[in-house]
Amino acid sequence: QVHLVESGGGLVQAGGSLRLSCAASGRTFSAYAMGWFRQAPGKEREFVATISWNGGRTAYADSVKGRFTISRDNAKNTVYLQMNSLKPEDTAVYYCAADRDPYRWPMGVPQSYDSWGQGTQVTVSS
């Protein structure tokens, strides 16, 4: 497993932007796909975005497509989530996750990820 630490959450008004970061340590970061998930109060954790091990492939939930961008810097062992045009319904705890196996496409399936960060709170006010 890998140790993941998220940062960058906070309170923002609707229409604003935030950039989340997730720093990884403990194994070869560049070999594993990474993902972002979120969980709102009273709801199940849901997929937000995922990126392949080399950054060449990405996928997004329909609810964030066109507003959020996932990226990674393998030299810094960090994955990012740029969130623009934020809406109140984006309010949640955001978690980054690392794929269980190297050099594969996990397709955003939660069971494919075996390492999770502690989460960072994002609150969007209307």
Side-chain angles (χ1 to χ4, degrees), residues 4-125:
L4 302 172
V5 179
E6 302 98 334
S7 61
L11 173 65
V12 63
Q13 289 189 331
S17 298
L18 283 174
R19 188 175 84 153
L20 306 183
S21 299
C22 174
S25 60
R27 68 183 182 193
T28 305
F29 176 78
S30 59
Y32 295 84
M34 298 292 295
W36 285 97
F37 294 77
R38 67 186 181 186
Q39 188 167 19
K43 295 187 177 181
E44 293 187 354
R45 189 171 299 188
E46 65 174 0
F47 165 73
V48 175
T50 192
I51 187 166
S52 62
W53 58 275
N54 63 354
R57 187 174 184 180
T58 59
Y60 298 90
D62 287 343
S63 58
V64 306
K65 203 170 294 183
R67 299 187 298 122
F68 291 10
T69 302
I70 188 171
S71 62
R72 65 190 297 159
D73 185 337
N74 285 346
K76 296 183 178 180
N77 288 358
T78 302
V79 62
Y80 304 97
L81 185 68
Q82 178 67 44
M83 306 185 294
N84 298 328
S85 302
L86 283 160
K87 304 175 181 180
E89 51 264 43
D90 294 318
T91 295
V93 177
Y94 283 71
Y95 300 89
C96 71
D99 193 5
R100 177 182 302 110
D101 296 321
Y103 305 117
R104 72 166 186 175
W105 181 240
M107 299 180 66
V109 176
Q111 293 80 0
S112 297
Y113 302 81
D114 70 339
S115 299
W116 296 81
Q118 83 289 349
T120 185
Q121 176 71 46
V122 171
T123 303
V124 185
S125 63

